[in-house]
Amino acid sequence: MRLDKTICESTTLTRSQAKKVISQGRITCDDKIIRSCAYKPKKNAQIFFDGKAISIRGPRYIMLNKPEHYICSNVDEQLPSLFNLIEADKKEQLFIAGRLDEDTTGLTLITDDGKWSHKITSPRNKCIKRYRVGLDAPISEDAIALFKTGVQLKSEPLPCLPAELEILSSTEVILSIAEGKYHQVKRMFAAVGNLVIELHREKIGDIELDSKLALGEWRYLTEKEISSIK
Ligand code: URA
């Protein structure tokens, strides 16, 4: 990672303040003054600011069990942002890897690592998201068949990719999808004449929502969870 970003992430300085102190020659990496913001310090480099060691913070990876009535936005709007639930500094650097609707609950991944987040959200990567879905009407055999081949959503040029459905009861199913189109789950069921009345995300890739987290609680991901996203 670039030196200016490293300094910004690991101190209270903003990115432009970090750039300034670097160009002023106040930053050393392994005993050498570095004036280039683009310089990439080695993994275990000893970095000092005005002679004081900086403890380097790596990227952050968080799972949150999102409750209803919080929005996946960095700022409060008509409803509070889910960042109100997290205690962390420099929250403005964090973003959500795969947003949920205001009334959807469950697994929400939050990070400041853009490349990692892209692996989750990029349609090319086909990262599977698993949802528990409560339905207004019993699911029909026709709907089950359509989910297998690919549901056609309104105003989309192509049908969805085949989705996996596990039927728990006539009105409760587990749906696994490889895409993340806007309101996708609700639109898929609307396309087969049904209505989603409850939606809860349980899993993203191999990362499962920790059953110890109550609604509104969060924790940092383990190394194993982080590296499971490929
Ligand atoms: N699909 C939806 O319709 N809503 C969500 O919150 C997530 C997936």
Side-chain angles (χ1 to χ4, degrees):
M1 191 196 302
R2 288 167 58 104
L3 184 58
D4 54 352
K5 190 157 191 268
T6 309
I7 303 287
C8 169
E9 285 190 355
S10 306
T11 67
T12 55
L13 299 182
T14 61
R15 189 79 174 256
S16 58
Q17 287 167 334
K19 284 185 176 160
K20 194 167 173 195
V21 297
I22 293 167
S23 63
Q24 287 169 339
R26 294 163 68 185
I27 301 289
T28 60
C29 290
D30 294 328
D31 299 325
K32 267 194 245 131
I33 293 176
I34 305 291
R35 288 176 192 271
S36 160
C37 294
Y39 176 83
K40 291 198 172 145
K42 289 199 205 97
K43 222 178 170 196
N44 295 317
Q46 306 289 309
I47 305 183
F48 285 73
F49 170 34
D50 283 346
K52 272 201 205 126
I54 294 176
S55 94
I56 300 303
R57 184 182 72 203
R60 294 173 286 177
Y61 305 90
I62 288 168
M63 77 158 70
L64 166 79
N65 187 1
K66 180 191 170 296
E68 275 187 281
H69 312 312
Y70 279 84
I71 49 167
C72 284
S73 158
N74 285 59
V75 290
D76 295 340
E77 290 167 29
Q78 284 93 336
L79 288 168
S81 150
L82 53 66
F83 284 95
N84 288 297
L85 300 165
I86 292 169
E87 255 174 65
D89 59 3
K90 299 213 169 173
K91 286 193 209 174
E92 67 284 359
Q93 292 173 358
L94 293 167
F95 49 89
I96 297 151
R99 300 204 260 172
L100 292 177
D101 298 335
E102 168 261 311
D103 55 352
T104 303
T105 56
L107 179 61
T108 311
L109 296 177
I110 295 165
T111 184
D112 47 13
D113 181 342
K115 278 192 192 151
W116 187 81
S117 160
H118 184 72
K119 289 184 207 166
I120 293 171
T121 54
S122 160
R124 277 201 196 170
N125 245 20
K126 299 198 171 61
C127 174
I128 307 285
K129 290 100 187 166
R130 192 175 83 198
Y131 296 87
R132 183 179 280 259
V133 190
L135 296 169
D136 185 46
I139 186 151
S140 65
E141 289 303 324
D142 285 356
I144 295 172
L146 271 173
F147 272 67
K148 258 192 203 147
T149 51
V151 175
Q152 178 64 54
L153 300 183
K154 249 194 188 165
S155 54
E156 290 287 343
L158 295 172
C160 296
L161 294 174
E164 205 179 290
L165 259 188
E166 187 189 332
I167 312 296
L168 302 178
S169 75
S170 61
T171 54
E172 197 177 17
V173 300
I174 302 282
L175 172 70
S176 298
I177 53 174
E179 302 149 293
K181 294 186 171 66
Y182 184 62
H183 293 325
Q184 180 159 346
V185 177
K186 290 174 187 164
R187 289 165 70 207
M188 285 173 88
F189 283 97
V192 296
N194 211 325
L195 179 69
V196 171
I197 53 172
E198 259 181 73
L199 187 55
H200 178 77
R201 188 159 60 196
E202 300 183 328
K203 196 172 176 189
I204 296 176
D206 285 334
I207 304 178
E208 269 192 85
L209 179 62
D210 188 331
S211 59
K212 291 201 253 351
L213 293 179
L215 284 168
E217 290 183 342
W218 64 280
R219 68 159 168 82
Y220 286 105
L221 296 189
T222 63
E223 281 302 323
K224 194 171 166 205
E225 287 168 334
I226 298 164
S227 57
S228 73
I229 299 293
K230 302 220 162 63

